Amino acid sequence: LVIAKTKKAEIALKLAFAEKKCTKRYRALVVGKVEPKVGECTQSMGGKDAHTKYQVVRYSRSSDKMMSAMSKSDGWITIMDLFPVTGRKHQLRKHMKALGHPIWGDVRYGHYTNHPIASPLAETSDPNKNPHSRLCLWAVEITLPHPISGEEMTFKMGDGDPDWLNQVVSAQGATWSKKQLEDR
């Protein structure tokens, strides 16, 4: 969230966004193994250009029955950084769906909609009972010019991944390991 303190700063910040002088980075957990590790999606939205760049941060595994039933993830989940070049409504969510790797917990654009296995989980928003209860997408960094001096400034959401992301990935990795041992 960026807030201007003065009218002059507000005008300068709006201009910086309009001229694409601001860069944003989001962290997401998505279903499946995203390849290639660096890429972009330029699928238009509502007749307007839309552009998102992405980079894989790391891969993990999951034996989540819902994901296996609803996608061809083969037990893979990917943590990745998303860099929107344009700013369309739900752009990151729509682009990840278009790439075949919806964001974990995305009930609107993910594999959850109208799927019988998803309906019992919709009854709880407790992440301990339902690891799909939260959209795993976080704004983690923004770089923009200072509205008065023009000096480039970067603001980050702390070091490392959000706690919830670590909890989901850790839990999913544990279920994967346990399933592999049971299958032996």
Side-chain angles (χ1 to χ4, degrees), residues 12-141:
L13 286 169
K14 284 180 177 177
L15 186 60
F17 276 98
E19 293 177 349
K20 297 184 180 9
K21 292 181 180 175
C22 304
T23 58
K24 296 173 270 183
R25 178 172 62 100
Y26 292 79
R27 177 74 38 102
L29 173 65
V30 302
V31 177
K33 188 173 186 179
V34 178
E35 291 180 326
K37 289 185 174 186
V38 176
E40 58 190 319
C41 183
T42 56
Q43 181 181 34
S44 64
M45 295 183 187
K48 296 180 180 179
D49 289 342
H51 186 188
T52 301
K53 295 180 180 182
Y54 69 83
Q55 181 173 345
V56 169
V57 175
R58 68 182 184 274
Y59 299 111
S60 190
R61 300 299 293 238
S62 170
S63 64
D64 187 274
K65 292 177 183 166
M66 186 186 308
M67 285 297 104
S68 299
M70 294 187 287
S71 72
K72 298 176 184 172
S73 68
D74 195 29
W76 287 101
I77 51 179
T78 303
I79 297 97
M80 59 193 311
D81 284 342
L82 304 172
F83 305 90
V85 178
T86 54
R88 308 288 174 230
K89 184 176 182 179
H90 298 176
Q91 176 178 317
L92 299 176
R93 295 165 68 187
K94 289 178 179 178
H95 274 173
M96 293 317 301
K97 178 183 179 180
L99 292 172
H101 300 284
I103 296 172
W104 186 280
D106 191 343
V107 295
R108 180 174 287 191
Y109 300 106
H111 295 298
Y112 304 93
T113 311
N114 298 324
H115 198 284
I117 198 168
S119 40
L121 292 180
E123 297 170 11
T124 180
S125 61
D126 180 351
N128 296 317
K129 295 178 183 173
N130 178 5
H132 302 275
S133 65
R134 294 184 185 170
L135 177 68
C136 290
L137 175 66
W138 298 268
V140 293
E141 182 178 292

Side-chain angles (χ1 to χ4, degrees), residues 2 9 12-13 15-17 19-23 143-155:
V2 177
L13 286 169
L15 186 60
F17 276 98
E19 293 177 349
K20 297 184 180 9
K21 292 181 180 175
C22 304
T23 58
T143 301
L144 48 84
H146 187 278
I148 306 302
S149 71
E151 178 186 352
E152 189 173 272
M153 303 174 66
T154 299
F155 302 93

